[in-house]
Amino acid sequence: MSLLATEQETVVPSPGPRPPAPGPAAAARRLPAWVRAETLFMGGATLLMAVLVLLPVGMLLFTSIRIEEFGEASYFSLKNYTEFVVSPRILRSIGNTLLVSTGATLVAALFGISLAWIHARTNTPGRRLLEVFTLIPFFLSPYVGAIAWSYLAAPRVGMLNGVLRGLLGLPGDPLSVYNRWGIIWVLALFFTPVMYLFVIGSLRRMDPALEESARTSGSSLLRTTLRITLPLVTPSILSGAILVFVSCAGEFGVPLALGSPFKIETMTTQIYNLTGGSNIDYNASAALSMVLAALTLTFVFIHRKIILPRGYTTVTGKGYRPNVINLGRWRYAALAFNCLYLLMAVVLPLLALLLVSISVRWEGRFDTGALTLANYTYVFTYPLSARALWNSLKLAVAGATLCMALTMLVAYTIHRGRGRARGLVDLISSVPVGFPGIVLAMGILITYIRTPLYSTLWILLVGYITRYMPYGQRMISSVLLSLSAELDQSSRTAGASWATTLRRITLPLLKPGIVAGWLLLFVIFLREFPISALLYKGGLEVLSVAVWYFVEHETAVRTAAVAMVQVGLLLVAIFLFRRLAGTDELTV
Amino acid sequence: MADYLRVEGLRKAFGREAAVDGISFGVEKGKILTLLGPSGCGKTTTLRCIAGLEHPDAGTISLEGEAVTSVADGILTPPERRNIGMVFQSYAVWPHMTVAQNVAYPLEVRKWPRREIAGRVDEVLELVGLARFRDQYATRLSGGQQQRVALARAMIYNPRLLLFDEPLSNLDAKLREQLRAEIVRLQREVGITSIYVTHDQAEAMVISDQIIVMNRGRIEQQGDARTIYSRPANRFVAEFIGLANLLPGQVVAPAGPDGLLRAEVSLGGAQRAGVRALLAGGGAAVGQRVLISVRPEDVELGPPGAGAGEHNRLEGAVASAVYMGNYVDYQVQVGEARIRVQAKPTTLYRDGERVALSVRPEACVCIPGASEEG
């Protein structure tokens, strides 16, 4: 006890050498109280985030109300809205967007709700394994999915058409994906996991006692499911449906692959069409972008302000005790239903891509006698695709890293800062969620076209980070919310500076969120299409753009090979994500 | 102004609500001061201002005569440069570190040599009885053990000041009692000046040299445990600390040299009774409205009629009697007032039985009446 001061001593003796205590007051007097490393870093990150988000949105609005006609001074008017947007061609594309998004949402809801219920509440065999596979489409590129489905169900050369003709003796082409139904089908398959994640999360968090008390009060199983379970998950179903609708309305690759070549345009493809070619008109494109953003923002607003506050808090601290329903013989029907979904969304598309990519040529039938790896050799040696692979990897690594660094500081500002504007920061940081990729890309194009960023990979990087910051931030925020602020504060009172606390306490504690967020962004950036499509220039191609180029200029077999390269990379990333992060983190 | 820690005119508002509304107090070296009050009274905000975790709107805080916070002079020493230790309600034990790593951390950031850190960590872990958990991850431990880790971590570097923010409120009753005795022992042994925040009056009584009772951002009373309990300065303190019967009355004769004044309490309607009561603080002019505070355990019960006509004597009927083992809890109806009495179970009175109540004048404390309160 010799090291501890006794009451008689006036000075606390310290064992061993101890650096002289810095004169706190003297150090603090030199600068105003707010000039600190923490204030500068957090304030700087917040400001950067706000500029990144607000600048393109502001520029988009500004451009949409400006009229620039050749040889005339530009002026402001709502003409782009009152004349252009209401023209029959554009109205038709708006109608198409609403139609395919609604259709896809309904089909995805059917799949997603039933699969979630099967996995969380029934004794269907193999449901743990099925769960893993059901999430795969979440990580894959819908654009590549659309191309794969065109190998399966295109008129004439579609594999399934061939099978149906041969087996069932159906004449002509029973299936075609090159229409609105095809777009709905592919969108639904790829956005089912979003719906599924919302519903299964809600089912798992639900207190089993809610259902058990219905049973003990005399309600049958079916009645309990319909009267208790379903109403309790309804808010989550609505949330999921809104997110699916908004994602479908903003989806660019699927309508580009299945609709555009056959004059079926949606809002996203029209926005793109107006940025090049013969009818180039940035102002009109900006106006249409604003209309699409208004549509998606309305839904996001409804979700945040009306549905989220009505969600039932059924969370208990007890952890998950599933009460599994015995389906009897019907469990095999449930299994078959689940397998059918996996067949449509994962197995058939990937198999089709694989088979086409190793064929010498593609004419609708797989020829086991003519197999080759030459298509892959071509993809890796052809300058454009080799460059695209390299660019995608660079952008994914740099983008995920920078994005996580930025969002970590912003999330920290929102949840741990002391500023009054924290609510506003939170609002601004979630704005990109309401903007489809192509719309935000339009704003970014207008904003940075006259800066040195244009025609470099940097503009793609800025685009990726701006659009997907909210994803990284949700990951960090969910971890931050589960950690007491006192964990950081106790480090400060123990004598560690802000920087030391960040390095030794905050970052290690946030590691799960940082790793999960990084991997999710890595996956998203590897497959990113709409922003890249609008912002790339020759030399700046990325994987999705390379797939697109191959669709337009190369053979089907080579296109399948380049798509397979992207799919392969994504599958590796998914594997890592599952190993390191788990799936609870996916609902953004 | 010889206080070791001095807080002067401290004010902190969240939005429009003033959490701390211009309070001043001091602590002597080596003493332990408790900030006691209901939730939302500003005690934790005060503590966090002292730690430097909260930035006050006005006021100064000085430690060993040197300002660490002074809003007027723009001084705001960050928490890590105040050389203080803090124990949090949530323990705040770092889950990614072992017990030893948690406790060693403050020494590491102070750049102690490695060898000396190890020795010092062992010594402090021994002191809090956690030596055998040295290399376990801290979150595997029970709540009480985690709080010991937090305590060891906060005092390992002999800080100038030790701050406790409701450190025991997450523990169960038995553990709470055990750990609070231990905190007292350690504090006495090490002699670190401490400030302790709690809403639990028993905890405050056991732990403190001085108690400050806070309410709505202000100090209601400061003193040692005995003063606070037996001489409450106002209605809030009388009601917040222990149980009190508060009888409204009026001063009829000023206090004499013995500090006792005479008052008349009304028992509803026209019924009145003369009382001799102690004037706790401030002057009470004749005619002034006052409250007479009487603790239930200070009231003695006797058979009716005994000593009739004396001061501080009332008669009433037992309205309810609950046997509690070591005492009997009575409600006695006196006029329209109900008086709570906690009496030794030597004589038992039944419901409806008439009894005489008497209180020593020193146990009747005269505090400002309702109209005098702000």
Side-chain angles (χ1 to χ4, degrees):
Chain A
M1 227 57 53
S2 65
L3 298 174
L4 300 166
T6 59
E7 282 183 47
Q8 290 82 13
E9 285 166 316
T10 47
V11 177
V12 178
S14 58
R18 185 185 192 177
R29 239 181 233 120
R30 255 178 269 133
L31 290 166
W34 59 269
V35 183
R36 299 251 172 86
E38 54 193 294
T39 331
L40 294 177
F41 269 91
M42 282 157 63
T46 305
L47 201 65
L48 179 61
M49 181 277 295
V51 169
L52 280 179
V53 171
L54 296 180
L55 211 54
V57 173
M59 282 299 286
L60 198 60
L61 186 65
F62 174 78
T63 310
S64 76
I65 54 168
R66 214 153 93 115
I67 312 296
E68 292 170 287
E69 271 152 17
F70 187 71
E72 281 179 47
S74 68
Y75 60 98
F76 292 97
S77 148
L78 289 176
K79 243 163 75 178
N80 290 322
Y81 292 95
T82 54
E83 288 176 18
F84 168 75
V85 170
V86 295
S87 65
R89 181 167 59 99
I90 296 303
L91 281 182
R92 213 162 32 241
S93 75
I94 296 177
N96 280 337
T97 290
L98 292 175
L99 181 80
V100 297
S101 305
T102 308
T105 305
L106 291 176
V107 180
L110 178 74
F111 279 130
I113 297 168
S114 15
L115 291 176
W117 185 75
I118 288 171
H119 292 169
R121 284 288 190 275
T122 71
N123 64 340
T124 303
R127 55 190 188 279
R128 303 220 99 195
L129 195 64
L130 290 171
E131 199 179 330
V132 178
F133 287 103
T134 300
L135 285 172
I136 288 181
F138 183 85
F139 295 93
L140 296 180
S141 157
Y143 178 54
V144 166
I147 291 166
W149 264 93
S150 70
Y151 297 143
L152 288 168
R156 231 169 27 79
V157 295
M159 266 185 264
L160 290 179
N161 277 330
V163 170
L164 290 175
R165 269 197 300 267
L167 284 179
L168 306 175
L170 290 171
D173 296 310
L175 301 173
S176 169
V177 284
Y178 294 130
N179 52 45
R180 294 184 194 89
W181 300 112
I183 297 173
I184 288 176
W185 178 243
V186 173
L187 286 175
L189 289 178
F190 279 83
F191 288 103
T192 290
V194 174
M195 196 71 210
Y196 169 88
L197 280 168
F198 269 91
V199 178
I200 202 164
S202 164
L203 282 173
R204 293 229 158 120
R205 284 193 306 270
M206 191 185 297
D207 185 350
L210 294 170
E211 287 165 323
E212 284 158 4
S213 56
R215 296 300 300 280
T216 52
S217 53
S219 166
S220 71
L221 179 69
L222 184 66
R223 209 182 156 84
T224 304
T225 303
L226 293 179
R227 293 285 307 278
I228 306 294
T229 317
L230 195 62
L232 284 173
V233 293
T234 300
S236 302
I237 292 175
L238 290 176
S239 291
I242 282 186
L243 203 69
V244 171
F245 183 91
V246 166
S247 307
C248 289
E251 174 56 39
F252 172 64
V254 177
L256 180 80
L258 303 180
S260 267
F262 306 91
K263 300 278 175 276
I264 303 165
E265 302 285 0
T266 61
M267 294 170 84
T268 52
T269 56
Q270 288 290 22
I271 290 169
Y272 173 78
N273 292 341
L274 288 163
T275 60
S278 53
N279 45 9
I280 178 166
D281 186 345
Y282 275 21
N283 304 99
S285 182
L288 187 55
S289 294
M290 288 309 296
V291 174
L292 179 53
L295 177 72
T296 52
L297 279 172
T298 306
F299 275 93
V300 169
F301 182 82
I302 291 173
H303 168 64
R304 292 243 160 145
K305 293 286 165 203
I306 300 175
I307 297 174
L308 275 189
R310 307 226 169 144
Y312 304 104
T313 322
T314 53
V315 186
T316 57
K318 286 181 190 165
Y320 157 52
R321 276 183 293 132
N323 46 351
V324 164
I325 292 166
N326 188 347
L327 286 183
R329 251 181 235 180
W330 284 99
R331 68 185 193 274
Y332 297 108
L335 177 66
F337 176 76
N338 201 155
C339 290
L340 187 71
Y341 169 73
L342 289 178
L343 198 68
M344 300 292 185
V346 183
V347 179
L348 284 181
L350 293 192
L351 193 66
L353 277 182
L354 183 68
L355 295 183
V356 175
S357 75
I358 55 172
S359 298
V360 174
R361 74 184 74 77
W362 185 248
E363 280 154 1
R365 278 187 50 224
F366 183 61
D367 183 355
T368 44
L371 298 185
T372 175
L373 285 177
N375 300 320
Y376 287 95
T377 319
Y378 182 82
V379 165
F380 286 115
T381 49
Y382 185 67
L384 188 143
S385 48
R387 194 162 65 217
L389 174 62
W390 187 229
N391 282 341
S392 270
L393 285 173
K394 273 198 288 194
L395 280 170
V397 170
T401 308
L402 289 173
C403 199
M404 287 317 290
L406 184 64
T407 54
M408 205 208 69
L409 288 168
V410 173
Y412 200 83
T413 307
I414 293 169
H415 298 289
R416 295 283 192 269
R418 57 175 84 251
R420 300 224 169 139
R422 274 148 52 200
L424 185 67
V425 174
D426 195 16
L427 182 71
I428 295 173
S429 73
S430 62
V431 162
V433 174
F435 282 78
I438 194 119
V439 171
L440 208 61
M442 189 63 210
I444 285 163
L445 181 67
I446 301 166
T447 308
Y448 300 104
I449 195 161
R450 289 194 187 84
T451 68
L453 290 183
Y454 191 60
S455 290
T456 67
L457 276 182
W458 290 99
I459 193 170
L460 288 165
L461 191 70
V462 168
Y464 287 9
I465 290 177
T466 307
R467 172 66 181 88
Y468 292 102
M469 269 190 305
Y471 291 65
Q473 199 194 305
R474 289 281 172 273
M475 293 283 186
I476 302 278
S477 291
S478 70
V479 183
L480 264 182
L481 285 172
S482 70
L483 292 173
S484 162
E486 294 181 347
L487 289 166
D488 295 334
Q489 291 164 355
S490 59
S491 167
R492 300 298 295 277
T493 59
S497 66
W498 177 75
T500 308
T501 302
L502 187 71
R503 184 171 56 81
R504 295 210 39 196
I505 308 294
T506 317
L507 283 179
L509 290 175
L510 287 179
K511 210 171 111 194
I514 295 173
V515 170
W518 194 93
L519 280 169
L520 182 66
L521 290 174
F522 181 80
V523 165
I524 288 174
F525 294 165
L526 265 187
R527 67 165 193 222
E528 207 294 323
F529 187 35
I531 297 174
S532 321
L534 214 60
L535 299 181
Y536 91 99
K537 285 261 137 199
L540 305 179
E541 297 86 355
V542 294
L543 276 173
S544 296
V545 172
V547 173
W548 185 25
Y549 175 88
F550 273 54
V551 167
E552 308 258 315
H553 303 282
E554 292 276 357
T555 59
V557 289
R558 285 172 178 169
T559 306
V562 71
M564 273 309 285
V565 170
Q566 189 187 38
V567 167
L569 279 174
L570 288 173
L571 289 175
V572 171
I574 298 169
F575 176 75
L576 287 177
F577 189 91
R578 280 208 62 88
R579 288 292 299 274
L580 297 172
T583 52
D584 294 345
E585 312 278 348
L586 288 180
T587 15
V588 175
Chain B
M1 287 301 282
D3 288 327
Y4 184 75
L5 170 82
R6 184 78 212 154
V7 172
E8 204 65 57
L10 189 71
R11 210 190 117 77
K12 170 75 187 172
F14 295 106
R16 277 192 197 168
E17 200 75 17
V20 178
D21 201 0
I23 64 170
S24 305
F25 62 91
V27 191
E28 286 172 45
K29 186 169 170 56
K31 299 290 185 197
I32 177 160
L33 169 87
T34 294
L35 301 177
L36 174 65
S39 65
C41 73
K43 56 192 192 300
T44 293
T45 307
T46 305
L47 194 76
R48 290 170 58 85
C49 285
I50 295 171
L53 294 169
E54 216 67 72
H55 299 178
D57 301 326
T60 58
I61 298 168
S62 46
L63 193 53
E64 294 181 303
E66 156 197 70
V68 289
T69 297
S70 171
V71 177
D73 299 331
I75 297 174
L76 193 62
T77 309
E80 66 268 22
R81 284 206 243 123
R82 297 189 177 204
N83 197 20
I84 50 167
M86 186 156 173
V87 180
F88 292 84
Q89 183 175 6
S90 68
Y91 323 140
V93 168
W94 299 308
H96 61 301
M97 296 183 182
T98 64
V99 168
Q101 285 168 340
N102 261 283
V103 176
Y105 181 85
L107 302 183
E108 285 170 16
V109 300
R110 284 173 172 72
K111 303 206 165 54
W112 276 33
R114 219 162 249 290
R115 294 246 308 284
E116 287 175 38
I117 292 180
R120 175 74 175 147
V121 166
D122 287 341
E123 188 180 1
V124 173
L125 287 181
E126 195 68 51
L127 195 65
V128 297
L130 286 178
R132 66 202 168 92
F133 298 107
R134 201 179 185 288
D135 296 316
Q136 289 207 18
Y137 274 90
T139 41
R140 295 261 176 90
L141 306 183
S142 71
Q145 289 165 335
Q146 286 195 45
Q147 200 53 298
R148 279 164 216 251
V149 175
L151 183 61
R153 188 179 65 188
M155 49 183 268
I156 190 166
Y157 48 98
N158 285 326
R160 298 197 285 181
L161 192 64
L162 204 46
L163 306 175
F164 294 90
D165 183 12
E166 308 213 22
L168 307 180
S169 59
N170 285 346
L171 304 174
D172 63 53
K174 206 154 202 176
L175 202 54
R176 201 152 58 209
E177 209 166 299
Q178 191 187 337
L179 208 57
R180 111 189 146 195
E182 210 158 320
I183 288 176
V184 174
R185 173 180 69 82
L186 283 170
Q187 198 274 337
R188 299 271 186 276
E189 223 165 276
V190 182
I192 301 180
T193 314
S194 305
I195 299 182
Y196 194 99
V197 161
T198 183
H199 63 266
D200 180 336
Q201 45 166 311
E203 213 168 285
M205 301 253 171
V206 173
I207 279 177
S208 336
D209 295 309
Q210 285 274 305
I211 295 175
I212 287 178
V213 182
M214 286 184 72
N215 181 35
R216 291 204 216 140
R218 295 185 184 206
I219 293 179
E220 296 282 357
Q221 190 173 3
Q222 173 169 9
D224 58 24
R226 195 176 159 172
T227 309
I228 298 271
Y229 187 77
S230 61
R231 308 261 185 281
N234 52 47
R235 182 180 189 145
F236 177 81
V237 177
E239 287 185 324
F240 185 71
I241 312 284
L243 298 167
N245 296 295
L246 294 174
L247 303 169
Q250 212 165 5
V251 179
V252 293
D258 56 357
L260 296 178
L261 54 67
R262 288 171 63 171
E264 197 175 54
V265 296
S266 69
L267 301 163
Q271 224 184 321
R272 293 179 197 286
V275 169
R276 295 190 69 202
L278 193 70
L279 185 59
V286 173
Q288 194 181 325
R289 301 200 160 276
V290 290
L291 287 170
I292 305 297
S293 161
V294 180
R295 300 287 181 196
E297 70 274 15
D298 288 331
V299 183
E300 282 173 41
L301 294 184
E310 283 179 17
H311 274 301
N312 297 4
R313 194 185 163 286
L314 299 168
E315 276 196 23
V318 174
S320 79
V322 181
Y323 182 75
M324 301 293 289
N326 53 344
Y327 66 91
V328 185
D329 207 337
Y330 292 101
Q331 298 274 357
V332 182
Q333 191 75 41
V334 181
E336 280 173 30
R338 281 229 166 164
I339 294 180
R340 190 160 178 189
V341 180
Q342 290 177 346
K344 286 233 162 62
T346 40
T347 320
L348 289 175
Y349 298 93
R350 282 170 221 297
D351 285 7
E353 204 170 330
R354 288 204 64 81
V355 288
L357 304 83
S358 60
V359 194
R360 288 174 300 112
E362 292 77 17
C364 295
V365 181
C366 171
I367 59 182
S371 56
E372 266 78 28
E373 272 189 28

